[in-house]
Amino acid sequence: TVRVGSKVFDPFVGSGNILFAASLLGAQELVGTDAAVELVGDGTGTAKHEILKSFIYRMDDFLPWKPLSGCVRPVPKLGQADMLAWESYPLWFRREHYDCIVTDPPYDLKAKVQVTIVGAAEAAGAAGAAGAGTVGETKGTETDVTKERQQAAMPAIKKLIEVADYGLVPGGRLVFFLPVWGKHGFDGREAACDSVTTPPSAFPSLPPSLRLVAILPQVFSPTFVRWLACVEKRGRVANQ
């Protein structure tokens, strides 16, 4: 997806690892945003300057990922922006500007999940003290926690789809991880890779301008799979 000369955007840039990999592949423009001010804010004490320093490297240190001769190593542009309100940041979210949007959206939503789990533990304890229906209620509680996790992760994913529709050039691609909680039918990583034909039910609906190119599961546990998805923006019709 990332080629020599690509314009690459990571709207959940974090520590900048994805943009760093894109620079090794010869990307021409690197742009990253994050909601965390402590990461990419302009004030003193943020991680922004350390992230930028990491892009100063010797080519020979990264063989065989050495960019082709003549490639320019760009300095990434980093800024604070909330993806859930991306329309408010036109400097970063530009119409049909990026060749690639590559990102790993946040899904370790500890605060929300932790509150749910604590509540579930209290409910299970109360059920146990009553001495009735513990097994059935515990299963229901686990399902509730799974739904909470999935629902908490989806707003960012849906906004990411909006950004791809708006910001990708025709033929450009969005690559992202989709976390899915719940029991699945995969026996292991190898079996999962060989048996995928359709995306999971949690995969968001796509606008007509976007199409799913490929999706691949990465199995972490019997109840958690992270799906790597590649979505492409359709080209314009010639007579339009």
Side-chain angles (χ1 to χ4, degrees):
T1 299
V2 177
R3 300 180 176 89
V4 174
S6 292
K7 297 177 181 179
V8 181
F9 179 39
D10 182 356
F12 299 103
V13 69
S15 60
N17 291 338
I18 289 177
L19 292 185
F20 186 85
S23 75
L24 294 176
L25 294 172
Q28 180 181 8
E29 181 178 335
L30 304 172
V31 179
T33 60
D34 204 287
V37 177
E38 64 271 17
L39 285 176
V40 293
D42 291 325
T44 58
T46 69
K48 182 176 182 178
H49 300 294
E50 292 302 316
I51 295 172
L52 293 174
K53 283 170 58 178
S54 70
F55 283 78
I56 304 173
Y57 57 86
R58 295 190 316 124
M59 296 286 195
D60 293 340
D61 291 339
F62 292 94
L63 293 172
W65 298 104
K66 182 177 179 180
L68 298 176
S69 177
C71 289
V72 177
R73 289 184 293 166
V75 176
K77 303 172 186 176
L78 303 177
Q80 190 274 334
D82 182 0
M83 261 287 292
L84 298 183
W86 64 268
E87 301 94 334
S88 301
Y89 304 91
L91 176 65
W92 308 108
F93 297 88
R94 303 169 63 181
R95 180 181 289 276
E96 294 193 350
H97 180 76
Y98 299 107
D99 301 296
C100 311
I101 299 176
V102 188
T103 194
D104 187 5
Y107 51 87
D108 187 18
L109 303 173
K110 294 180 180 178
K112 189 172 184 65
V113 172
Q114 189 173 20
V115 169
T116 304
I117 292 175
V118 170
E122 292 175 350
T134 303
V135 174
E137 289 185 31
T138 300
K139 289 183 179 179
T141 301
E142 291 174 354
T143 301
D144 291 342
V145 172
T146 297
K147 289 181 179 179
E148 278 288 327
R149 285 174 165 165
Q150 198 66 57
Q151 291 172 359
M154 293 312 295
I157 299 293
K158 292 177 180 178
K159 286 295 182 180
L160 184 60
I161 297 298
E162 291 180 12
V163 168
D165 184 28
Y166 181 84
L168 284 174
V169 299
R173 290 188 171 186
L174 162 68
V175 178
F176 69 100
F177 284 106
L178 171 68
V180 177
W181 288 269
K183 293 182 179 180
H184 54 78
F186 298 126
D187 295 329
R189 290 183 177 86
E190 294 181 0
C193 294
D194 294 337
S195 60
V196 176
T197 56
T198 58
S201 60
F203 193 84
S205 59
L206 298 177
S209 63
L210 300 177
R211 70 182 185 96
L212 180 64
V213 175
I215 190 163
L216 184 69
Q218 183 181 17
V219 178
F220 282 86
S221 76
T223 57
F224 180 70
V225 179
R226 187 174 73 165
W227 294 75
L228 178 62
C230 178
V231 172
E232 183 177 79
K233 187 168 185 178
R234 302 177 190 272
R236 297 190 185 91
V237 178
N239 60 0
Q240 288 185 340

